[in-house]
Amino acid sequence: MNKLKLMPMTKEGKVEYVVDSREVAEMLGKDHCDLSKNIKVYMKYLAESNFSVGDFFIKSNYKDLNNQKRPCYLLTKQGCEMVANKMTGKKGILFTATYVQAFNDMEQQLRGNVSLDSMLGSLQEFKIMQEKIDILYKDWGTVVCRLNGLTEDYMRIEEETIELKKQTDIAKRMSSEGYLLSSNMQKDVNEKMEYLKKFYEVVNDFKWKDSTEKLLKETAYLVANIGDIGQIKRKVYEVMEIRRGIKFDKLISRKQKRMAKEGVSKTKINKVNTISIIADDINLRECYVATVKEVCAAFRDGVYSVEE
């Protein structure tokens, strides 16, 4: 299976990477028309449930051999996850591994281009330049008096001032919209980078429960300073039911009935819950891990809120 070719596109002033539905269809061994029909259904369900369709799929087109326009779709990382979650077998697993690796590699590359050290270094340079400008403006009247008609020195200082202003603007743009200029800049940056790092960690198959539980608890404390993760978990289950077209209550009831027929003790039957259902299915586990990350990020960014 070939490596996915990610394409950059600008969305709301930010660069986002997408992949062409034709390439996805080829990797999955599916007809592009069939994949397009599936994507239309996904977009319909997303729109009906008030999800932002553009976060998953974007309408596009291409020209065929006869130079005729044909419809296609651009899939974001979330769109790839939705398609992958509907696939089973070897092709679905390989596609999941391929798109995850492609997007993670791109995210790693982007993070490497703007490292924390470079941001802090630029901020330090900005502060030095700002101090020079402050001193220059403060003593401007004195400087003008001392020039005594020396036009050459005057022009040199004016050119240096213009250059300093340019460098200041560059430093401001690199300071992540100015929040690094706060008095607690160092602390804010470290906390931000540490929190974001959790959303890109590779979750070990044997530790997926602990990893997701830890992220849910940290999110609950971050957004509401509480240890109760019930509301966030319920939102995760709700999103999973929409994505997978399932009902956890029915799956729990079905498993309990099957266990009863097999003669399993009532104590064990009563312990069946949503997490145990997810643990039984590798596809549900992968969907759960991905959904926990997305829902926690949504709570952190204010898309969802915890009720007091």
Side-chain angles (χ1 to χ4, degrees):
M1 182 170 288
N2 297 327
K3 186 175 182 181
L4 280 174
K5 298 178 181 178
L6 301 184
M7 302 178 295
M9 64 171 292
T10 302
K11 181 181 178 182
E12 297 179 355
K14 297 181 179 179
V15 176
E16 183 173 350
Y17 284 84
V18 295
V19 61
D20 196 303
S21 57
R22 292 173 293 166
E23 186 173 355
V24 173
E26 181 179 354
M27 296 182 69
L28 294 175
K30 295 185 64 172
D31 187 88
H32 183 247
C33 291
D34 293 337
L35 179 61
S36 296
K37 290 179 182 178
N38 293 338
I39 291 176
K40 286 182 180 179
V41 174
Y42 302 156
M43 294 173 69
K44 177 184 176 183
Y45 290 159
L46 290 170
E48 290 175 350
S49 300
N50 295 323
F51 281 91
S52 176
V53 177
D55 291 340
F56 298 83
F57 307 103
I58 301 166
K59 290 183 178 181
S60 185
N61 58 70
Y62 68 97
K63 290 186 178 181
D64 61 15
L65 297 177
N66 296 321
N67 205 32
Q68 298 294 319
K69 280 188 175 182
R70 301 292 182 189
C72 66
Y73 297 90
L74 302 179
L75 283 70
T76 66
K77 184 178 181 182
Q78 293 186 77
C80 287
E81 289 178 351
M82 184 167 293
V83 172
N85 286 336
K86 297 296 182 181
M87 299 294 298
T88 58
K90 181 178 179 180
K91 288 183 178 179
I93 293 173
L94 292 179
F95 173 65
T96 300
T98 302
Y99 86 76
V100 168
Q101 183 178 27
F103 279 97
N104 283 351
D105 288 346
M106 183 56 66
E107 290 164 356
Q108 185 65 36
Q109 180 180 345
L110 292 177
R111 290 200 302 274
N113 289 340
V114 184
S115 65
L116 179 60
D117 289 340
S118 65
M119 293 172 66
L120 295 177
S122 298
L123 179 63
Q124 187 63 32
E125 293 177 1
F126 165 75
K127 287 184 175 180
I128 294 174
M129 289 185 288
Q130 187 68 57
E131 290 173 358
K132 290 182 179 180
I133 291 176
D134 291 340
I135 294 173
L136 188 59
Y137 280 123
K138 181 179 180 180
D139 297 333
W140 185 255
T142 304
V143 172
V144 172
C145 293
R146 291 177 180 177
L147 288 176
N148 292 325
L150 299 177
T151 305
E152 183 177 347
D153 288 346
Y154 174 85
M155 293 300 296
R156 176 179 56 78
I157 293 176
E158 187 176 46
E159 288 173 357
E160 289 179 356
T161 303
I162 293 173
E163 183 62 24
L164 284 172
K165 286 183 178 180
K166 289 180 180 179
Q167 296 300 323
T168 299
D169 291 337
I170 293 173
K172 285 181 177 179
R173 288 195 297 270
M174 295 178 65
S175 66
S176 186
E177 300 179 349
Y179 92 97
L180 292 174
L181 298 178
S182 68
S183 59
N184 296 323
M185 175 273 299
Q186 182 70 56
K187 179 180 177 182
D188 290 344
V189 172
N190 290 340
E191 291 179 350
K192 181 73 171 178
M193 296 298 289
E194 183 65 26
Y195 189 76
L196 290 177
K197 180 181 177 182
K198 298 181 186 300
F199 290 91
Y200 299 99
E201 291 178 345
V202 177
V203 178
N204 189 297
D205 285 344
F206 300 104
K207 297 182 179 179
W208 64 273
K209 288 184 182 179
D210 294 338
S211 299
T212 53
E213 197 77 1
K214 180 180 179 182
L215 184 55
L216 288 166
K217 288 181 179 179
E218 291 178 349
T219 301
Y221 276 111
L222 181 66
V223 301
N225 196 28
I226 61 175
D228 182 13
I229 62 176
Q231 293 187 49
I232 303 178
K233 263 195 174 181
R234 285 193 290 275
K235 176 58 70 173
V236 171
Y237 298 153
E238 177 185 335
V239 174
M240 285 185 67
E241 288 182 331
I242 294 174
R243 286 184 171 179
R244 302 306 300 267
I246 59 175
K247 289 293 183 181
F248 281 116
D249 288 343
K250 292 183 178 180
L251 294 178
I252 292 171
S253 177
R254 191 179 307 163
K255 182 174 181 179
Q256 288 176 329
K257 290 179 180 178
R258 185 172 63 254
M259 292 172 68
K261 289 182 179 180
E262 294 171 354
V264 179
S265 67
K266 191 173 182 180
T267 301
K268 291 184 178 181
I269 293 176
N270 291 335
K271 287 183 178 180
V272 176
N273 57 21
T274 304
I275 286 296
S276 62
I277 294 296
I278 293 172
D280 290 342
D281 189 320
I282 185 173
N283 290 325
L284 285 180
R285 289 203 304 269
E286 293 174 352
C287 180
Y288 177 72
V289 171
T291 306
V292 167
K293 291 181 180 180
E294 294 172 15
V295 170
C296 285
F299 271 98
R300 182 203 69 204
D301 294 334
V303 178
Y304 303 134
S305 61
V306 174
E307 297 179 1
E308 297 296 338

